[in-house]
Amino acid sequence: MKLSKAGAVAGVIVLALTVSGCGADNEAEQRKIAIGIKFDQPGIGLREDGKFSGFDVDVATYVAKELGYKPEQIEFKQVFSSDRELMLQFNEVKFVVASYSINDKRKAKVDFAGPYFVAHQDLLIRSTENEITKAEDLNRKRLCSVTGSTSAENVKAKLAPKAEMLELGGYSECLVALQDSTLDALTTDNSILAGYAARPENVGKFKLANLNLSNEFYGIGLKKGDKELQKKINDALGKMVKDGSWDKFVQQNFGAAQTAAAYRHEPAPQITEGR
């Protein structure tokens, strides 16, 4: 059968549109979003056997879903407390969900959405420790935190200026030193400490001092000036609380800590950033 010139042209157009549509579908499937999280905080952000778990991981996944990304389109990247701002400034990640306390010093470099969680600075001590019952007891004690943490700054500036402070790269390193009695206490947010205390291999070895030494409002960090993304993330966080997902994430990530470490979480905070 002879094909007319008009029919041939129509066929080419249809074929082009089909190929173009397939390309768009493939592009959508390949679209990725990079999110910064912690890799070494049980209950918050943990990478173990190639899998990710923790409250921040659940929050990040929920927010990404509201932005149009499926779980398989998420690329989790490890961030350390000292490099969260740099990761955002150099576009290494789209946003950071990594026990990231909102403060003015950080807001000079990045913007935040949220807050989505409230923690308090506390101490993790050996279960046999009875001498540390208040912040002042840390003076002349050996204390550990991580480089870039607001907890280390708070101790040195306000709580126990005579404490011997050791700042390491990660909390896991501090925990090893605490267990070996090289250090007397590990300080950071109670949510992070509770996660470590609730690990099966740590139950009975450590305890929380249960001192509310500060209020830490966790926010989602994003590149400064991206008000559109800030609004979208705030909307996602509000929906997460309203539909019950926030309570679900808290229970599945901190439930064990409530028993093992007598940990108690605060209610979901009001969103204030960008409002």
Side-chain angles (χ1 to χ4, degrees):
M1 181 178 69
K2 185 176 179 181
L3 189 64
S4 68
K5 184 176 180 181
V9 171
V12 170
I13 293 174
V14 170
L15 179 61
L17 290 174
T18 302
V19 171
S20 174
C22 290
D25 290 342
N26 290 335
E27 183 179 346
E29 287 298 319
Q30 294 171 1
R31 194 168 57 111
K32 297 283 187 180
I33 184 169
I35 304 174
I37 63 168
K38 292 292 183 72
F39 278 20
D40 68 340
Q41 293 181 354
I44 300 288
L46 183 68
R47 181 181 181 179
E48 197 169 41
D49 298 327
K51 298 180 180 180
F52 299 96
S53 65
F55 183 76
D56 280 354
V57 174
D58 290 336
V59 171
T61 302
Y62 186 99
V63 170
K65 179 195 70 174
E66 292 301 306
L67 295 177
Y69 295 89
K70 300 175 182 178
E72 58 268 24
Q73 293 175 293
I74 298 173
E75 180 186 3
F76 286 121
K77 290 190 175 183
Q78 184 175 21
V79 297
F80 298 95
S81 295
S82 57
D83 66 9
R84 287 175 290 203
E85 289 84 21
L86 289 174
M87 295 283 279
L88 289 166
Q89 290 169 346
F90 288 93
N91 300 312
E92 291 294 320
V93 293
K94 190 68 173 178
F95 56 86
V96 170
V97 192
S99 54
Y100 202 2
S101 298
I102 300 170
N103 62 38
D104 290 338
K105 182 178 179 181
R106 290 168 176 168
K107 287 171 70 172
K109 299 178 181 179
V110 301
D111 281 334
F112 285 95
Y116 63 92
F117 194 79
V118 182
H120 304 286
Q121 184 178 353
D122 201 354
L123 305 173
L124 189 68
I125 53 181
R126 289 182 291 277
S127 57
T128 55
E129 174 63 63
N130 296 312
E131 295 181 1
I132 301 176
T133 60
K134 56 185 182 300
E136 292 78 6
D137 294 335
L138 293 172
N139 284 306
R140 297 185 177 85
K141 292 287 187 181
R142 298 162 299 175
L143 188 63
C144 188
S145 192
V146 299
T147 305
S149 167
T150 54
S151 299
E153 297 173 6
N154 194 35
V155 168
K156 288 188 287 188
K158 302 175 184 178
L159 302 176
K162 295 181 180 179
E164 183 181 338
M165 176 64 71
L166 177 64
E167 295 184 55
L168 297 177
Y171 295 111
S172 298
E173 299 170 48
C174 290
L175 194 69
V176 171
L178 179 60
Q179 183 171 340
D180 292 343
S181 298
T182 304
L183 299 166
D184 298 303
L186 161 59
T187 186
T188 187
D189 303 342
N190 56 355
S191 54
I192 299 171
L193 297 175
Y196 280 113
R199 294 280 287 176
E201 65 271 22
N202 294 332
V203 172
K205 295 180 181 178
F206 309 104
K207 62 184 179 182
L208 290 174
N210 289 318
L211 304 177
N212 286 349
L213 303 176
S214 71
N215 296 320
E216 306 294 334
F217 292 84
Y218 289 177
I220 294 181
L222 56 143
K223 195 168 185 179
K224 195 161 186 66
D226 196 340
K227 300 302 180 184
E228 181 181 355
L229 180 60
Q230 183 185 49
K231 182 182 184 304
K232 288 180 179 179
I233 294 178
N234 277 335
D235 290 344
L237 294 176
K239 181 179 177 181
M240 181 180 68
V241 174
K242 188 174 181 179
D243 69 15
S245 295
W246 190 90
D247 289 320
K248 174 187 173 184
F249 298 157
V250 166
Q251 185 56 41
Q252 67 188 24
N253 290 293
F254 298 121
Q258 293 171 1
T259 302
Y263 171 71
R264 298 291 179 268
H265 68 83
E266 299 282 357
Q270 292 294 316
I271 294 173
T272 57
E273 297 302 307
R275 296 293 172 84

